[in-house]
């Protein structure tokens, strides 16, 4: 501001600002101060050497048009189950005028397999907003677990069916149906049989068992003649069949 005395241009003038709290140079005509957000009014009273005074006021508004500074961080994790996986994500915000801008996101408690984009928004007391995005990646690198056991069957011929069974499970996909590589039937002895299971991510689990065909049954005779009785005479080795059983 500029203040003069029309009666005596060279007169010594005194200055008084109100409110004076926080002002630097409150006894000059160019005081400065720090003001918070919103409207403000200050007044300057000028007094000459004869005690005459004049007062003027000025109004101004401190505005905040700067958005908060927002940074966000996604994360990576191994799949923990079919229902989803917890992944730690974070964001931080700072603002010139607001010491604690509000931060919100659309992050889920559990994330599905694959990539998910999370969006954060920060807003200050003046309604300025900033946003950022980060990617959460849930991977499935673990092969399914396949469980199988040997099985034994009695020989039924050149080839014998052997009942084999296996189960498979996957951390990320739940139960799976394993497939048998060598379907049979099987020859006498022990034959290796492989089982495999593939999950939705293409991971392959396997298990190997034995199909065992044994022969514990004695041979069966088709037929045999009936028993016969032979009587020998004392005179020699001449004999006669006298009956049969």
């Amino acid at each position: 501001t500029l203040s003069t005395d029309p009666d005596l241009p060279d007169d010594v003038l005194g200055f008084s600002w109100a409110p004076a709290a926080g002002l630097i140079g409150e006894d000059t005509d160019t005081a400065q101060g720090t003001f918070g957000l919103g409207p403000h009014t200050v007044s300057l009273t000028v007094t000459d050497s004869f005690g005459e005074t004049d007062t003027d006021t000025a109004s101004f508004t401190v505005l905040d048009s700067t958005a908060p500074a927002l940074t966000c961080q996604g994360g990576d994790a191994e799949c923990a189950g079919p229902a989803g996986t917890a992944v730690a994500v974070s964001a931080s915000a700072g603002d010139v005028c607001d010491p604690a801008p509000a931060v919100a996101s659309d992050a889920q408690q559990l994330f599905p397999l694959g990539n998910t984009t999370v969006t954060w928004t920060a807003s200050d007391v003046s309604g300025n907003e900033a946003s950022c995005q980060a990617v959460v990646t849930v991977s499935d690198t673990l092969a399914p677990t396949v469980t199988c056991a040997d099985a034994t069957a009695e020989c039924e011929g050149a080839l014998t069916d052997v009942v084999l069974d296996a189960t498979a499970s996957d951390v990320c996909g739940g139960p799976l149906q394993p497939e048998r590589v060598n379907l049979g039937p099987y020859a006498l002895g022990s034959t290796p049989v492989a089982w495999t299971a593939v999950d939705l991510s293409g991971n392959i689990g396997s298990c190997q068992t034995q199909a065992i065909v044994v022969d514990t049954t004695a041979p069966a005779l088709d037929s045999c003649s009936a028993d016969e009785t032979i009587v020998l005479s004392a005179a020699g080795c001449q004999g006669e069949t006298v009956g049969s059983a």
Side-chain angles (χ1 to χ4, degrees):
T1 185
L2 177 64
S3 300
T4 59
D5 186 351
D7 296 330
L8 188 61
D10 296 330
D11 196 359
V12 177
L13 302 178
F15 303 93
S16 175
W17 291 89
L23 293 178
I24 300 174
E26 68 274 10
D27 56 353
T28 70
D29 62 351
T30 55
Q32 296 181 352
T34 301
F35 299 87
L37 285 173
H40 301 272
T41 300
V42 294
S43 61
L44 172 63
T45 300
V46 181
T47 304
D48 64 14
S49 58
F50 297 97
E52 296 178 340
T53 63
D54 189 22
T55 299
D56 195 11
T57 60
S59 297
F60 58 91
T61 301
V62 177
L63 302 176
D64 175 16
S65 60
T66 303
L70 178 64
T71 58
C72 52
Q73 179 67 47
D76 302 329
E78 180 70 22
C79 181
T85 302
V87 183
V89 295
S90 62
S92 60
D95 189 71
V96 174
C97 290
D98 187 349
V103 178
S105 78
D106 59 0
Q108 309 168 49
Q109 288 187 335
L110 298 176
F111 292 89
L113 185 66
N115 295 329
T116 302
T117 299
V118 179
T119 301
W120 281 267
T121 302
S123 56
D124 61 21
V125 293
S126 298
N128 301 302
E129 290 188 350
S131 63
C132 67
Q133 292 183 324
V135 176
V136 173
T137 301
V138 177
S139 303
D140 177 15
T141 63
L142 300 178
T145 299
V146 183
T147 304
C148 56
D150 297 345
T152 302
E154 182 69 22
C155 179
E156 297 175 347
L159 296 174
T160 301
D161 288 323
V162 179
V163 178
L164 295 164
D165 192 21
T167 59
S169 62
D170 187 65
V171 172
C172 200
L176 299 174
Q177 180 60 49
E179 295 184 358
R180 185 169 53 176
V181 176
N182 185 352
L183 297 178
Y186 306 98
L188 185 65
S190 182
T191 303
V193 177
W195 296 84
T196 61
V198 183
D199 65 18
L200 295 176
S201 299
N203 302 304
I204 302 174
S206 63
C207 176
Q208 183 163 300
T209 187
Q210 299 289 325
I212 304 171
V213 178
V214 297
D215 180 9
T216 63
T217 303
L221 294 176
D222 292 337
S223 64
C224 59
S225 60
D227 295 341
E228 293 184 353
T229 301
I230 299 175
V231 177
L232 298 176
S233 65
C237 294
Q238 298 297 319
E240 180 182 0
T241 300
V242 297
S244 62

